Amino acid sequence: MAIASTAASLMTVERDRERAAIARERLRGLEHVVLHVGDWRQILPAHRPFDFLFFDAGVIYDSPEVVDLLAPGGLLVKDDMTPGRPVEGDPVREFLFGHSQLVAVEVITTPETAAIVAAKRG
Ligand SMILES: C[S@@+](CC[C@H](N)C(=O)[O-])C[C@H]1O[C@@H](n2cnc3c(N)ncnc32)[C@H](O)[C@@H]1O
């Protein structure tokens, strides 16, 4: 909702029908938000490029095609990280910090949580 309420336009995808129904209810009235039910891998490529992607759907290093969805200079955000862990040995950090098309930074969001924000090189 925080992103939906501030974005100029937003597309969100949920493959679980019950969760999608809850999301649809919460997003009711937000004309600039489009909710798709299904697998983002099949739905989002037709709508690329995206300036901003909030990845909250499974294992990011199993989904390298997410980078192809981003516009040059676009931002990819992965939350639910534990702050201050080394890159080596953490497959999420290894993917985001090691990707040749991304420049990533860790942002501490609370004392117990962090997000990684990665920009796609132009
Ligand atoms: C961590 S939950 C987040 C749910 C919701 N965004 C929220 O904040 O409450 C991850 C969600 O991603 C969905 N998901 C996982 N893989 C997906 C995929 N390939 N395409 C679409 N949705 C997916 C799951 O069904 C699950 O509801």
Side-chain angles (χ1 to χ4, degrees), residues 39-45 48-50 53 55 57 59-71 76 95 99 101-102 120:
D39 190 320
W40 66 264
R41 294 180 188 88
Q42 277 137 35
I43 292 166
L44 292 185
R48 71 184 178 193
F50 293 92
L53 285 169
F55 189 92
V59 180
I60 197 165
Y61 52 84
D62 283 343
S63 307
E65 65 268 47
V66 70
V67 178
D68 298 332
L69 299 176
L70 272 178
L76 171 61
F95 174 78
H99 198 290
Q101 288 182 279
L102 298 176
K120 187 172 182 180

Side-chain angles (χ1 to χ4, degrees), residues 12-16 19 26 38-41 54 56-58 80:
T12 184
V13 186
E14 172 56 63
R15 69 181 177 190
D16 180 285
R19 289 187 176 200
R26 291 187 181 165
D39 190 320
W40 66 264
R41 294 180 188 88
F54 184 83
D56 197 23
D80 279 342

